[in-house]
Amino acid sequence: MPLSMNREVFITCAVTGAGDTVSKSSHVPITPKQIADAAIEAAKAGAAVAHCHVRDPDTGAPARRLDLYREVTDRVRSADVDVVLNLTAGMGGDLLFGNVESPFPVNEKGTDMAGATERVEHVAQCLPEICTLDCGTMNFSLGDYVMTNTPSMLREMARQMTALGVRPEIEAFDTGHLWFAKQLVEEGLIEDPVLIQLCMGIPWGAPDDLNTFMAMVNNVPPSWTFSAFSIGRNAMAYPAAAILAGGNVRVGLEDNLYVGKGQLATNGQLVEKAVSVVEGMGAKIIGPEEVRKKLKLTKR
């Protein structure tokens, strides 16, 4: 893919995620109302897409409960602002081994393994316009934790998403994930237009240096639509890199808690800063209706 700046950019806001961030910032939304309000706030600030996880309302821990997804979905859809709803389908593949000498039995407290149908059940119930598909297995930051997504699991999840008429957003954390994503498309399990998110800087996937980022970008077929983000200190530099490379932008409290050094952010503030970067580079922000047309999404 040749380097070509994107002149019509959409912003995705990942409003809460599943990470251990609740104790680090009071702005991280926890309850369905807070998560929906964060999505609405992001939309009013300029985000066309809201990417949502759900959390246990009492503890803030990541959750997969259908009732929580339904409440978030209903609240967002009944809001006075339009936004494309993107629900995660990344939960249910968490494997935490015992320790380095005795990996089995696994640590039940940190392990959450579910079948393909269960992992996609909230998508079938809520029918968002987009849902994510983490396109590979990865050693994900913590010592004995593995994010597991086998080829068979991903094929079945992709098949179910496509059958539901929900656009998968492929999440690629390394080059091998891109390779398998192309295979899913070749097999007809993911249909055009293909949407992919390049997830940079997450230990231990693809680092977020520009050489690695461009290696990822250069492996994205020209007909695909991509966004990109990094986490932590480089999160607010990545909107410029993504646009310059021909992509779209993702920000939000799932990826980064700060709008400036020592300044805890809200989702709206992160979107506002991304908007200023996009417009400062001479590009145009496109809204949810333009995104739906571009990605052939079904609004519900």
Side-chain angles (χ1 to χ4, degrees), residues 245-291:
N248 298 283
V249 171
R250 171 171 141 172
V251 292
L253 294 180
E254 176 173 351
D255 307 326
N256 163 50
L257 299 177
Y258 295 90
V259 71
K261 188 173 182 179
Q263 297 176 276
L264 288 171
T266 66
N267 282 292
Q269 288 171 334
L270 293 174
V271 174
E272 287 170 359
K273 191 163 186 178
V275 168
S276 69
V277 171
V278 173
E279 294 180 339
M281 293 178 69
K284 172 190 173 184
I285 299 287
I286 65 173
E289 275 305 316
E290 291 166 290
V291 171

Side-chain angles (χ1 to χ4, degrees), residues 180-198:
F180 189 67
K182 293 176 188 176
Q183 183 65 28
L184 292 176
V185 173
E186 185 176 326
E187 293 174 12
L189 295 170
I190 294 178
E191 299 174 343
D192 288 331
V194 180
L195 173 65
I196 191 160
Q197 185 75 245
L198 303 181

Side-chain angles (χ1 to χ4, degrees), residues 39 62 93 100 122 126 144 147 206 209 231 268 274 296:
V100 295
H122 65 291
C126 299
D144 295 303
M147 178 182 74
D209 63 273
I231 64 170
K296 297 182 180 177

Side-chain angles (χ1 to χ4, degrees), residues 125-161:
Q125 293 287 333
C126 299
L127 292 175
E129 294 167 80
I130 301 171
C131 68
T132 60
L133 183 68
D134 295 346
C135 220
T137 293
M138 193 175 97
N139 293 332
F140 204 102
S141 186
L142 302 177
D144 295 303
Y145 170 67
V146 178
M147 178 182 74
T148 60
N149 293 288
T150 66
S152 295
M153 177 70 74
L154 290 170
R155 282 186 169 96
E156 179 57 22
M157 290 176 69
R159 186 195 67 76
Q160 292 192 27
M161 292 169 183

Side-chain angles (χ1 to χ4, degrees), residues 28-283:
V28 176
I30 297 172
T31 68
K33 183 180 185 305
Q34 290 170 346
I35 293 167
D37 286 348
I40 294 163
E41 173 197 21
K44 289 180 176 178
V49 182
H51 171 58
C52 299
H53 290 243
V54 294
R55 294 178 179 270
D56 184 305
D58 297 320
T59 67
R64 290 193 290 112
R65 284 168 41 189
L66 283 174
D67 62 316
L68 301 178
Y69 279 113
R70 285 197 192 100
E71 184 176 347
V72 169
T73 300
D74 290 345
R75 286 180 177 276
V76 171
R77 285 178 173 159
S78 63
D80 60 353
V81 64
D82 190 20
V83 68
V84 173
L85 184 61
N86 176 341
L87 295 182
T88 185
M91 307 298 289
D94 299 328
L95 181 60
L96 186 61
F97 290 102
N99 58 59
V100 295
E101 299 295 346
S102 301
F104 294 106
V106 299
N107 185 325
E108 292 187 5
K109 184 177 180 180
T111 296
D112 178 30
M113 298 292 290
T117 300
E118 184 178 346
R119 290 180 69 174
V120 180
E121 179 62 22
H122 65 291
V123 177
Q125 293 287 333
C126 299
L127 292 175
E129 294 167 80
I130 301 171
C131 68
T132 60
L133 183 68
D134 295 346
C135 220
T137 293
M138 193 175 97
N139 293 332
F140 204 102
S141 186
L142 302 177
D144 295 303
Y145 170 67
V146 178
M147 178 182 74
T148 60
N149 293 288
T150 66
S152 295
M153 177 70 74
L154 290 170
R155 282 186 169 96
E156 179 57 22
M157 290 176 69
R159 186 195 67 76
Q160 292 192 27
M161 292 169 183
T162 298
L164 289 166
V166 176
R167 177 74 58 206
E169 181 191 63
I170 300 163
E171 295 208 342
F173 296 81
D174 218 334
T175 51
H177 299 180
L178 280 168
W179 187 7
F180 189 67
K182 293 176 188 176
Q183 183 65 28
L184 292 176
V185 173
E186 185 176 326
E187 293 174 12
L189 295 170
I190 294 178
E191 299 174 343
D192 288 331
V194 180
L195 173 65
I196 191 160
Q197 185 75 245
L198 303 181
C199 311
M200 308 299 297
I202 293 111
W204 300 104
D208 64 1
D209 63 273
L210 288 178
N211 283 337
T212 304
F213 176 51
M214 287 312 302
M216 296 279 278
V217 170
N218 288 332
N219 275 286
V220 175
S223 63
W224 293 14
T225 296
F226 81 91
S227 294
F229 72 92
S230 181
I231 64 170
R233 62 183 295 182
N234 289 332
M236 295 316 297
Y238 247 73
I243 297 162
L244 191 60
N248 298 283
V249 171
R250 171 171 141 172
V251 292
L253 294 180
E254 176 173 351
D255 307 326
N256 163 50
L257 299 177
Y258 295 90
V259 71
K261 188 173 182 179
Q263 297 176 276
L264 288 171
T266 66
N267 282 292
Q269 288 171 334
L270 293 174
V271 174
E272 287 170 359
K273 191 163 186 178
V275 168
S276 69
V277 171
V278 173
E279 294 180 339
M281 293 178 69

